[in-house]
Amino acid sequence: NAGVTQTPKFRILKIGQSMTLQCTQDMNHNYMYWYRQDPGMGLKLIYYSVGAGITDKGEVPNGYNVSRSTTEDFPLRLELAAPSQTSVYFCASRNRGRSYEQYFGPGTRLTVT
Amino acid sequence: DQQVKQNSPSLSVQEGRISILNCDYTNSMFDYFLWYKKYPAEGPTFLISISSIKDKNEDGRFTVFLNKSAKHLSLHIVPSQPGDSAVYFCAAIIQGAQKLVFGQGTRLTINP
């Protein structure tokens, strides 16, 4: 199992550009999550999904969009990138049930200049 | 409103000694807690968890203690090893909910 994979690893965007961060998991997990981590801060939830076709906002959803057309994939779309979106983005997944352990991808480091 | 707080941004411990990382929470509805470890340029990895029906959970060198009345949990690492140098996050959830709430993290450095 590859677990949770994220692409790209690094990206530099100009202000106003758009991009999609890819996330794929091969563990057949129902739940998937997108977080951002700013320096010295914890993980802030952007969006999450409890299954294909179902998504919901987290703590910091503004400026982002998601879709979940399959169990495996949960892409995060940035429209009109702003410097405030400079961060490290982590995708995670977990199975339904009483284990709340989330499995994280390696992250995407995004810089908006 | 920071519902999960790790008030020590960093901690330095001698190799072989005990490392104690602390975490406080404000939401009394939280009833399940997790610790994650994060190395640079990697995603967080799960370390250990505890349900509110317990006050202690042990896994090898790692023990998590939960004090519900104080809304406080701690992670003990004994003995500390150089490979334990990482950022540690505590997280909390209300069982049945979907979203973890993370603390800000504590950077642990183990000195040889």
Side-chain angles (χ1 to χ4, degrees), chain A residues 27-98:
Chain A
M27 298 173 282
N28 203 33
H29 285 171
N30 302 103
Y31 297 115
M32 294 188 75
Y33 304 84
W34 274 106
Y35 294 92
R36 59 177 285 173
Q37 186 193 8
D38 299 324
M41 304 293 286
L43 296 157
K44 302 284 188 187
L45 182 65
I46 305 171
Y47 270 96
Y48 69 100
S49 168
V50 300
I54 307 169
T55 62
D56 207 347
K57 294 178 182 178
E59 199 179 347
V60 289
N62 291 345
Y64 306 94
N65 274 303
V66 292
S67 59
R68 182 105 181 263
S69 55
T70 66
T71 300
E72 295 78 21
D73 300 305
F74 190 39
L76 178 72
R77 178 84 178 157
L78 278 74
E79 305 280 3
L80 298 174
S84 61
Q85 293 177 304
T86 294
S87 190
V88 182
Y89 292 83
F90 292 102
C91 179
S93 70
R94 77 165 177 95
N95 220 341
R96 187 180 291 150
R98 292 210 163 269

Side-chain angles (χ1 to χ4, degrees), chain B residues 36-81:
Chain B
Y36 281 83
K37 178 178 180 177
K38 186 183 177 306
Y39 291 121
E42 294 184 11
T45 55
F46 170 75
L47 199 55
I48 192 169
S49 62
I50 187 167
S51 164
S52 61
I53 62 172
K54 295 185 175 182
D55 52 21
K56 176 182 170 181
N57 190 26
E58 215 169 329
D59 183 2
R61 295 185 298 114
F62 303 92
T63 304
V64 56
F65 294 93
L66 176 61
N67 182 332
K68 290 184 287 293
S69 60
K71 295 194 188 70
H72 177 83
L73 63 155
S74 60
L75 174 68
H76 293 212
I77 306 173
V78 182
S80 299
Q81 299 174 353

Side-chain angles (χ1 to χ4, degrees), chain A residues 33 35 43 45 100-102 104, chain B residues 32 34 36 91-93 98-102:
Chain A
Y33 304 84
Y35 294 92
L43 296 157
L45 182 65
Y100 296 95
E101 175 188 345
Q102 293 182 14
F104 283 82
Chain B
Y32 197 88
L34 304 90
Y36 281 83
I93 192 168
Q98 289 87 33
K99 299 181 281 188
L100 287 175
V101 178
F102 284 85

Side-chain angles (χ1 to χ4, degrees), chain A residues 7-19:
Chain A
T7 56
K9 284 190 169 24
F10 304 95
R11 183 74 186 266
I12 299 174
L13 276 184
K14 292 191 187 314
I15 294 171
Q17 286 185 322
S18 301
M19 77 165 293

